[in-house]
Amino acid sequence: MESKSSRFPFPYQPYHIQESFMEALYTALDQGKVGIFESPTGTGKSLSLICGALTWLRDYEEQMKQEAARLLDGPEKKCDAVKEENSSSQPSEPDWVSEFVQKKAERDMVNKLKDEELKRKKREERLEMIRHNAQLRYAMKRKVGEEDEAVKLLQLSKEGAESETHSPEEEGLIVAEYESDDEATPKSRLCDEDDDEDLEEDHVTKIYYCSRTHSQLAQFVHEVQKSPYGAAVRLVNLGSRQNLCINPEVVRLGNVQMMNDRCLEMQKNKHEKREKASDSETKRRRGVPKATCPFSGFENLMAMRDEVLVKVRDVEQLLQHGRETHTCPYYSTRMAIPAAQVVVLPYQSLLHASTRKASGIKLKDQIVIIDEAHNLTDTISAIHSTEISGGQLCRAHSQLSQYCERYRSRLKAKNLMYIKQILFVLEGLVRTLGGKVGQNPNTQSCQPGSELLTINDFLFKAQVDNINLFKVQKYFEKSMISQKLCGFVEKYEGSGVNTHSSSKNKENRRTEGLGRFLQTLQNKPIDVSEQQVAVEDKPIMASPMMLVESFLFALTNANKDGRVVIQKQACLSQSSLKFLLLNAAVHFAQIVQECRAVIIAGGTMQPVADFKEQLLFSAGVTEERILEFSCGHVIAPENILPIVLCAGPSGQQLEFTFQTRDTPQMMEETGRVLSNLCNIVPGGVVCFFPSYEYEKRILGHWENTGVLQRLQSKKKIFQEPKKASQVEQVLSDYSKCIQHCGDAGSGQTGALLFSVVGGKMSEGINFSDDLGRCIVMVGMPYPNIKSPELQEKMAYLDKNMPHIGGKSPGKALIENLCMKAVNQSIGRAIRHRGDYACIVLCDHRYARSGTLQKLPEWIRSSTHTHTTFGPAFASARRFFLEKRQRPPL
């Protein structure tokens, strides 16, 4: 039942900490703050975010509506008031000038408000019509005008003149005449921008909500559906083609890049077909008909766009609706962005600038909420780091060379110049790996080894430091050469397929076509079967030029903000270049500068000081703009028992350092600790190891020494699967086992699940109630300090970040990465107010004051450190005995 006591509509009476959360959130949005919100899992964080943010949006829209009505009702009164106010002050210019300027400004404002009010009313009328099943009539009414507009927007590669030597199908593959920014006149650039603005629908004030995984986004959408705002809010759920495509021909490709390439090719074919249909030319040309997508009909897309806005749907419901209406959910959701009040999307779509642009996302004066943001800095770095193999570089060079040779007579001088520059850069990149272009990368051998360079040193090594990569990047964007090259390769492979036996499947024919394509350029035979083996595990995309584009874009970062790793393998095709972003703030700066407010939320955001220093302050955010909020848990303190265990049952000190963790004594002592705990803990025990390697080693030792058999007598043993697709099945079996043991009263008292910190079950999985009565953390999961990438990151922080309290920022990074991983893993338990659990941290190093401070406050305040095993075991046994005797809530 909806709560009426709070100013925030809520599906039930909110907890006090939820009300405090929503009040702080409202203040942050209203005052344009960058908010850091910490709310433990199980405290209703998602619902608090929804109700707090949508209440602010409702109030803001109402305020804007009232302001518009006031100005529209009485512009003359306001004009008189302004004149009166100015007349009381000393005039600095003639009265008639002031009056003219004031009246013109007032007229402009009123006209703008009238336009906005008219658009708002039309939008509301449109949505109301759909709610009353009148969408068909509306779609017919709007079809003619809007279809013309879409055609204008999507004609990306229309060429001016017909060629005598190339078929109409190839005209769309040829890049248009290109002018660099230095040569384009300001007038022409201005006209282009004005045309784009005229064609684009205005974006209403909205909330962009993003999270790490699609399951987390789905959970958020379900919370919105259950909230008091579920029936009225206009919510759009964005996803990749891998999540939203319903075309079987595209879906079967599986690989994201291949799906993107195929979809774009189909869209291009569709618009070429439309151009031909409208052409008066009646010549009939021979050729294989090009595939188009049957789910991208314009009228259906517009209808589904409106349907998306009037009912909140998750991804599965969007897919179902798309299949029923024979309409593409991927494109229809993107078309709904401007009118949406809430846009739900994954990290990549929001945090990556070019992906934002491609998706039609505009952040100016909007609200951004980033949930599950405990690893935000690392996520931004990972998104903007990129890797490309020697085989992909050679393939891109070969394809672009063939493209240039094929259309040389049609390419203008500027196009030829930039294509030559790209080819020159590709030669240099291959040279850094010890290879040569124009030869089969699978047969070129390299001297194995790795090298880490600054951006400038890498450009010098590649001998491309004289190339202006910023201009090359602009050429990629404006000419769309990557997409055109993709279409060119698709066309070439398609023509090669016809000459081969029909008994081979389509994917093999694609690979063989590509082999012949490279062979024509190299004038030497290529063993197609060898290529096929090389790509069997990793699908080949039509053209790797988009990866090249991403890598070259990464090289435009400031020299101090990134590093390039040259990784040479025995074979050139397996060697790679990897760009590492060291300064995530450079890409986060645009978000915090453009948005009205940014909310960064998570179950645990500790340590906040390093987060603010490395991401916010470095992005230009001032201390005054930051608002911090942290709340405790809704559970009673007696419902959680965190224990730092310094020694095992035999008195062996627990210290899982690299030197001591592999000793038989340490592994056997750990087995005794776990065996004792399984004797007293009801239901499920989840044991986290610091790495997959250590998990394999210790479980092997336990199997040989009989420890696993002892554990099996008390708890049925489960292990985290290697494949992500098997996680749900393992969790289902684990849950059923615990339930069965509780019902049947067998000798086993539950189940024991072995997992890994940072693995598939350390984040986003709920071990509530009997699924996670005890969480055991074996050792401290420090990252590999010998990693060149991590060492470079530490050196960057030591050089560019302040040394707080005299402590090295690089060393602090190691500690923080470890404790963030620990906090995520132990947070899998305690999922609601009536839940209870014991948390055992097995390593005496957890007792250090600096380490304890990095635990969430609601856990830290209840933590007990035990130097010997006896008292720790006694407190755990007493804890579970009391819970067993206590009646359920």
Side-chain angles (χ1 to χ4, degrees), residues 167 169 283-289:
S167 65
E169 289 86 352
K283 290 183 181 179
R284 301 178 70 89
R285 297 181 183 268
R286 290 184 179 182
V288 179

Side-chain angles (χ1 to χ4, degrees), residues 70-87:
R70 186 177 65 82
L71 288 170
L72 290 170
D73 288 346
E76 294 83 4
K77 293 180 183 177
K78 181 171 180 183
C79 225
D80 293 341
V82 172
K83 281 173 63 179
E84 217 174 282
E85 183 181 337
N86 287 339
S87 64

Side-chain angles (χ1 to χ4, degrees), residues 35-48:
I36 303 174
F37 282 70
E38 184 179 52
S39 180
T41 304
T43 55
K45 170 168 59 75
S46 297
L47 203 52
S48 300

Side-chain angles (χ1 to χ4, degrees), residues 770-782:
D770 279 345
L771 296 183
R773 288 304 181 202
C774 183
I775 305 293
V776 181
M777 180 66 60
V778 176
M780 300 187 73
Y782 284 108

